[in-house]
Structures are given as C-alpha cells and as structure tokens.
Amino acid sequence: MSERVTEAKMDLRQRTKKIMGSMPSPMRAAVRFPLHLPVSLHVDGGLLQALTEDISSTGARFLTQVAPRVGSLLVWNLHLPAAVMGMPNAVDVDCVGRVVWTRVDADGVRVGALIDDYQLKDEQA
Amino acid sequence: MSDGFLDEAVPDSEAGELEQATVRVILADSQAIYRVGMRKVFAVEDNIRVVAQAETLANLHIALQRFPADIVVLEGELLAGTVDAIPELVRQAPDAKIIVQVVDKDESNTVELYRRGVRGVVPRSISPDLLIKCIRKIAVGETWIDNRSINWVIDAYRSQASAMTEPRTQLKLSPKELLMITCITRGMRNKEIAYQVGTTEQVVKNYLRKVYDKLGVSDRLELALYCMHHQLLKQYPTQELR
C-alpha cells in the first residue's frame, strides 16, 4: 500500500514538473471550503505536520509550526473520512503543489500553497 | 497534413530569432474558412504570428505540445459535449491564454468559460480590428471582458460563494447522478465509470456536466470537497456499483 502511494506521488511529481516550467501566477477564482484536516506535508525532503484551514480545487491554506521555503514543492495526502463522506470507504486525494506564501502569527505559521496536480482515489483501491 | 494541423509553424530556430514581443497564436476552428480568414487578418500584423492551426480539440492538444503559443483562438463549438476541456488545456499549456469565439453569448456559458480559465469570450462576428486588439490585450496579461459579462461574472461569483459555503436546501439529484458522484469521488475515470454503469463515456460526460452545473463545482476535487463539506452523500442511500 505505502509503495503504491509512493509510486503515485512520484508520478504526480513528474507530471507536475512538466507543467511547472514557467507557471504564471494564477488568479484565485475557486471557492474555498473551510475544512480542517490533519495532513503531513512532504517538503524539502522532510515531513511537516499541518492542519488545513481552507481548501479549494486550486490551493490550500495550512497551519503549521515551521515555515517551509516559498517555492518549495509540496506533496500531501488529503484523507476524507468515510463517515463524513457518507461512503463505504474513505477518499484519499494525493496532491502536489508548491508554497506560494508563508506568514508567521500567534497560532503558528500559515502557509499558502497552490495545487498543481491531484489524484482522487478510493482508500480500498 | 497527417496530424490534422498545418505544419507551417515557425521552426524553432527561426522562432528564437523573433522579437520577444511576437505573439504566437494557435487557431483552433473546425471551419477552414475561419482559419484562413483569421490567418489573413494576422498576416499583416508585424508581431502576431500563427504558429499552428487545429480543426479539432484533439489536434489542438497535439499542436500545444509541439508549438508553444501565447494565445489560442478557439471556436466555442469545439467545446460542445466536453466537460473539462478548458481546464485540461490550461493544465497542459498554462502559458497559452485562451480566447473562445461563440455564436451567441449567453450568461451561463460565458460565466462558465471565464470560471474555467479563458481570458476572453468574443463573438464569431467580431471585427478583425477588434480581434487583434483583443489578442494584444490578452497577450500582455489582461482579460477581455465586456460590461455585460462583468456583471454576469460578478453575480455568479457572489451567488456561488454563498451557495457553496452555506447550508442549502436538499438538492434534487437523480440516482444516476449520485452514482456518478460516488464514482468520481472514488477516483474512477470516465471510461471506468462508463464500464461500471454500462453506458458510454459520452453519457458519463453529459451526467458529469449536469452534476457540476447543479452543484456549482468545476472539477473532481471541488466535487469531492463539496461532498465532504455538505456531507452530500450522507443525505442519500449508498449508491451501489454493479
């Protein structure tokens, strides 16, 4: 299972690198959903625990304790629980993106990221 | 040409010598007469160069792979029956800005086009001068939008933002539409869904368009996030796959 996740992440990384060349700064047009989900951010070879504060189809805002470098490639998995989704299995979304801003405040570090690519999959698959 | 688009494109070496300000255009239009006409219009412009032409959406994807472009002038009819055509083009060629030519401008179609990432929606009957002006504006990063369309977009943005993040009354979704949602959130591709449901990919696309329109979402991730935020599938009995 973990090997398949790693493979999927590698695949997503490769696909993302292809399209990241000279990406323009996109306008924020997508609706943000205020979902609070714990995630592990793979960034700069390390792992960062974070909580999503809002998510859209093009980006996400995280709350974490360490500020990643702006421009870093981010890989994370959104776990949408079965019970909340109303489905027999949870839904996993593998996301690849990059850090576009960070802001330190009283709660920790807020991180804004763009989602460059994602892949939805059934937990059981 | 065997691959369906003219190979009159600028060879790489020559393209490299062109001035930076040159706007590279791909014409995607099913009607040769429009392509020929537009090409003639652009031919007299110093810094607008048609690098490729495509008569189908599939050929446009190939053209975008082979010829970096700043602008795609796309016939709206080529989008008929598609669901994610614009986001896919944007994803494939994020630097290419899309202008869609439509026969009739209507509110929902115009809003949807801008929402999905096009930079300009113009009528098929646009005058040559105006089309050139539009291309130049969009090439430098602006959006081409008339006052009526601005109002449509703002109204849609307001109502969508409130509709998507606030509780709403129960939507009327058919069992087939719910099945599609379940399949999509399970990560299935259109082809797989068609196989599971026992229909064609085109029918799946039609259902998806209806679902996207009903919920006001624009892609699969937004659909999944919507389902979670509103706990949509909990309101209905589980949709079983065959």
Side-chain angles (χ1 to χ4, degrees):
Chain A
M1 174 68 185
S2 65
E3 280 176 7
R4 290 181 63 187
V5 169
T6 310
E7 273 176 24
K9 283 175 181 167
M10 290 298 289
D11 180 46
L12 278 168
R13 274 200 190 112
Q14 284 164 359
R15 285 159 58 196
T16 303
K17 276 184 181 167
K18 269 189 197 170
I19 59 171
M20 272 184 64
S22 53
M23 190 83 76
S25 57
M27 287 192 304
R28 177 172 271 287
V31 172
R32 302 179 221 189
F33 293 91
L35 297 171
H36 297 264
L37 302 165
V39 289
S40 298
L41 303 173
H42 296 259
V43 54
D44 291 333
L47 205 61
L48 206 55
Q49 298 307 316
L51 187 71
T52 62
E53 292 197 316
D54 69 48
I55 315 168
S56 76
S57 62
T58 56
R61 192 179 74 213
F62 304 102
L63 177 63
T64 184
Q65 294 306 315
V66 180
R69 187 174 47 86
V70 171
S72 305
L73 186 71
L74 275 184
V75 177
W76 72 96
N77 172 271
L78 278 179
H79 183 77
L80 313 182
V84 186
M85 289 296 281
M87 292 172 66
N89 303 310
V91 174
D92 280 314
V93 190
D94 286 335
C95 300
V96 175
R98 60 209 143 98
V99 178
V100 287
W101 59 264
T102 61
R103 192 175 62 230
V104 181
D105 57 30
D107 303 325
V109 180
R110 291 204 153 76
V111 178
L114 282 177
I115 298 175
D116 292 315
D117 203 357
Y118 66 84
Q119 203 163 21
L120 282 164
K121 56 188 183 187
D122 191 296
E123 193 183 38
Q124 216 176 37
Chain B
M1 305 306 291
S2 59
D3 53 5
F5 54 88
L6 300 181
D7 235 340
E8 295 167 1
V10 186
D12 283 348
S13 55
E14 195 182 327
E17 290 164 12
L18 293 174
E19 288 180 13
Q20 271 196 330
T22 298
V23 180
R24 298 160 301 178
V25 177
I26 294 180
L27 302 175
D29 202 302
S30 64
Q31 296 184 39
I33 192 98
Y34 270 89
R35 296 199 306 271
V36 170
M38 283 192 284
R39 196 177 166 78
K40 283 192 171 178
V41 167
F42 300 146
V44 296
E45 297 298 318
D46 282 338
N47 59 349
I48 296 182
R49 196 160 184 102
V50 177
V51 294
Q53 300 182 37
E55 58 182 7
T56 63
L57 211 49
N59 285 346
L60 175 57
H61 281 284
I62 297 169
L64 282 168
Q65 253 174 11
R66 290 180 53 180
F67 306 104
D70 305 297
I71 299 283
V72 174
V73 182
L74 173 64
E75 179 196 4
E77 276 300 299
L78 290 182
L79 302 171
T82 64
V83 179
D84 291 325
I86 295 289
E88 280 167 12
L89 289 169
V90 171
R91 208 174 278 271
Q92 186 196 347
D95 289 337
K97 299 169 183 83
I98 302 169
I99 299 170
V100 177
Q101 287 193 311
V102 295
V103 178
D104 289 314
K105 255 188 168 185
D106 69 79
E107 180 170 354
S108 65
N109 200 30
T110 303
V111 167
E112 203 50 38
L113 286 170
Y114 281 111
R115 215 165 85 82
R116 284 168 190 253
V118 310
R119 295 300 187 92
V121 180
V122 298
R124 290 284 266 174
S125 56
I126 189 170
S127 72
D129 288 349
L130 208 54
L131 181 60
I132 286 166
K133 195 175 171 188
C134 167
I135 285 175
R136 291 196 198 287
K137 290 272 185 196
I138 290 176
V140 295
E142 294 185 23
T143 296
W144 184 268
I145 185 164
D146 58 36
N147 285 340
R148 189 171 55 155
S149 300
I150 288 175
N151 287 334
W152 287 344
V153 170
I154 289 173
D155 286 348
Y157 183 77
R158 282 190 187 128
S159 59
Q160 183 206 33
S162 59
M164 289 184 77
T165 53
E166 289 164 11
R168 55 162 58 194
T169 53
Q170 183 153 345
L171 285 157
K172 282 181 185 161
L173 292 164
S174 71
K176 265 276 171 55
E177 288 167 347
L178 283 163
L179 186 57
M180 296 291 158
I181 294 172
T182 308
C183 290
I184 288 293
T185 50
R186 290 179 64 180
M188 292 169 72
R189 296 181 180 283
N190 293 351
K191 205 176 212 171
E192 295 170 314
I193 299 172
Y195 177 76
Q196 286 279 0
V197 179
T199 185
T200 64
E201 257 188 280
Q202 189 53 52
V203 171
V204 171
K205 285 180 186 177
N206 294 343
Y207 271 110
L208 266 186
R209 177 171 280 282
K210 272 170 100 175
V211 167
Y212 282 10
D213 286 348
K214 274 190 184 179
L215 303 183
V217 299
S218 60
D219 70 3
R220 290 162 190 247
L221 178 54
E222 214 165 74
L223 177 63
L225 295 172
Y226 182 101
C227 287
M228 177 157 178
H229 184 64
H230 293 290
Q231 305 196 3
L232 179 76
L233 296 171
K234 282 175 88 173
Q235 301 166 28
Y236 297 89
T238 306
Q239 297 301 305
E240 293 296 341
L241 297 176
R242 288 195 317 176

